[in-house]
Amino acid sequence: MDRINKNRRKFFQTSVALVGGTIFYSLIKPFEAIAKETTIEKNVDKPLWGMGVDIEKCIGCGKCTAACKTENKVPEVPFYFRTWVEQYTVKNDGTVKIESPNGGIDGLVQSVPDEDIFKSFMVPKLCNHCSNAPCVQACPVGATFVSPDGVVLVDETYCIGCRYCIQACPYGARYIDPIKKVVDKCTFCYHRINEGLQPACVEVCPTDARIFGDLRDKKSKLVKFLQKNQTQVLKPHLNTHSKVFYNGLSSEVK
Ligand code: SF4
Ligand code: SF4
């Protein structure tokens, strides 16, 4: 974190520049456009980290939620998660049931009788590391910022716990740590990726439903995933320029 503290003002200025820009995502874009449009010109020599989520592969086992909690010392109390998995069940009568007991950490079990189910699928969620992040805009002290490699981070030494960013995030990705009284959320396991490792959730996923990589590297697994699939982001109408891309996202997903 020392290195982050040293450069945080520079990062914050960069994020403000991004927010003020005219970056735009359409619903589905080739990876070249995604990388180009999220480029911070000064940092083209750095990775631009993102994640893919293949809904067709997720089995709702919750190993990602559990690994994240352990790796990042997320409070044990229910409802504190950096990542979680939601089970969507579309019933024959057209209604949609969304369940995520304890973030899916114990594995999601279907509660709707088979005969009532039209379709059912799992949706892993986390911070979208938005390039045009409402949380960054809302933070009054610059504690939330975008790193040069595109990861939205929180400097806990600057956070005053005002919760403005929690209100601003349209994805429910943030919480106040009950012990530290500062905001916390997914960092793409920044401490791990800086060591060349995968985020914990990606490493433990038994079905490769989560794909992490550099959006600027055409050989990365993530770029290959984007090339192969017509991915979508959550709530594209908000123009947050999410860097978490879903394959197989249904219109019912909020
Ligand atoms: Fe900020 Fe929420 Fe976007 Fe994450 S998902 S960058 S917390 S607005
Ligand atoms: Fe889905 Fe993989 Fe998470 Fe299991 S570990 S719930 S398969 S994303």
Side-chain angles (χ1 to χ4, degrees):
M1 262 311 174
D2 285 352
R3 186 175 47 205
I4 295 168
N5 286 341
K6 194 173 163 191
N7 294 313
R8 62 168 282 287
R9 288 188 195 287
K10 189 175 164 196
F11 297 169
F12 184 57
Q13 284 163 1
T14 305
S15 67
V16 169
L18 251 182
V19 165
T22 53
I23 309 162
F24 177 76
Y25 275 112
S26 64
L27 197 61
I28 299 166
K29 286 228 165 191
F31 80 93
E32 289 91 347
I34 293 164
K36 189 176 172 192
E37 290 166 2
T38 55
T39 292
I40 304 170
E41 288 304 328
K42 285 186 232 166
N43 299 313
V44 287
D45 57 330
K46 295 189 183 301
L48 184 65
W49 299 120
M51 188 179 285
V53 177
D54 196 339
I55 287 176
E56 290 167 11
K57 287 188 175 176
C58 180
I59 55 174
C61 64
K63 289 185 187 302
C64 50
T65 307
C68 173
K69 276 230 178 194
T70 302
E71 178 71 29
N72 296 296
K73 301 180 177 57
V74 177
E76 282 302 316
V77 188
F79 311 119
Y80 290 98
F81 302 102
R82 286 185 173 202
T83 187
W84 65 98
V85 184
E86 296 175 356
Q87 179 169 242
Y88 277 69
T89 305
V90 183
K91 298 187 200 171
N92 290 325
D93 64 6
T95 58
V96 181
K97 188 170 186 181
I98 306 167
E99 297 171 283
S100 185
N102 201 12
I105 203 166
D106 303 315
L108 289 156
V109 178
Q110 183 54 260
S111 64
V112 178
D114 280 355
E115 58 272 24
D116 294 340
I117 300 174
F118 176 66
K119 64 177 176 178
S120 181
F121 51 89
M122 310 293 173
V123 185
K125 290 188 174 176
L126 65 159
C127 169
N128 292 277
H129 295 279
C130 313
S131 295
N132 185 21
C135 59
V136 172
Q137 298 172 57
C139 179
V141 295
T144 287
F145 61 99
V146 185
S147 74
D149 41 7
V151 180
V152 176
L153 297 171
V154 179
D155 184 336
E156 64 179 42
T157 65
Y158 281 75
C159 177
I160 56 174
C162 67
R163 300 170 188 254
Y164 286 176
C165 60
I166 294 176
Q167 290 176 353
C169 172
Y171 305 99
R174 294 175 164 250
Y175 61 87
I176 289 272
D177 185 297
I179 309 295
K180 297 183 195 168
K181 308 292 183 200
V182 293
V183 156
D184 203 1
K185 66 165 204 60
C186 164
T187 62
F188 276 162
C189 284
Y190 205 61
H191 57 292
R192 289 175 59 89
I193 62 177
N194 278 337
E195 299 295 327
L197 302 171
Q198 298 275 295
C201 62
V202 175
E203 188 169 274
V204 300
C205 179
T207 63
D208 291 333
R210 293 177 182 243
I211 305 101
F212 181 77
D214 178 2
L215 286 162
R216 290 198 179 102
D217 178 2
K218 293 186 181 183
K219 293 182 186 156
S220 72
K221 277 172 82 174
L222 177 59
V223 169
K224 289 189 190 321
F225 171 75
L226 294 173
Q227 285 174 321
K228 189 174 160 201
N229 300 291
Q230 292 196 326
T231 57
Q232 292 172 264
V233 296
L234 294 175
K235 304 185 181 182
H237 58 288
L238 297 179
N239 289 333
T240 55
H241 311 151
S242 165
K243 293 198 290 297
V244 176
F245 304 92
Y246 288 84
N247 180 43
L249 196 64
S250 283
S251 57
E252 293 86 4
V253 179
K254 306 194 188 325

